[in-house]
Amino acid sequence: MDVTRFDDILFDYNCIYGFYHNLIAAIFMDGIVLFALAAINNWGLSLPLGRFFLWGGITCVIVSFITTWFAYTNGRRYAKRLYNVFLNLDDDKNNY
């Protein structure tokens, strides 16, 4: 990892991929919480705005699938750039 730190573009790709990776987890967990609240609303006590929990959970799951596609495409770009950097490690222009 230390030998690839000189490449700013690789760092940008890594940050973008990490952002989408974390966003997927956050949105998916929000969807799970909304589904749990919808279940409590249907089978237990009536919550305020309870009718929107199910639709919010479905929306979160759909958005997490779309975000997964973005993470996949950015992950492929990151992997290609990482491979390119490793291929050019011996070049004089890429050394410290």
Side-chain angles (χ1 to χ4, degrees), residues 10-65:
L10 182 64
F11 178 74
D12 291 341
Y13 285 168
N14 186 10
C15 290
I16 292 168
Y17 174 70
F19 170 77
Y20 281 118
H21 185 268
N22 293 337
L23 185 64
I24 291 168
I27 292 174
F28 191 73
M29 291 304 292
D30 289 342
I32 290 174
V33 168
L34 287 172
F35 282 134
L37 289 173
I40 291 171
N41 187 49
N42 285 339
W43 296 317
L45 51 116
S46 180
L47 299 172
L49 300 174
R51 61 182 177 209
F52 297 111
F53 289 141
L54 182 62
W55 290 109
I58 293 170
T59 304
C60 283
V61 169
I62 290 170
V63 169
S64 70
F65 285 135

Side-chain angles (χ1 to χ4, degrees), residues 80-91:
K80 287 178 185 177
R81 181 66 185 179
L82 182 64
Y83 184 71
N84 189 14
V85 168
F86 275 125
L87 286 179
N88 296 324
L89 279 178
D90 293 331
D91 293 348

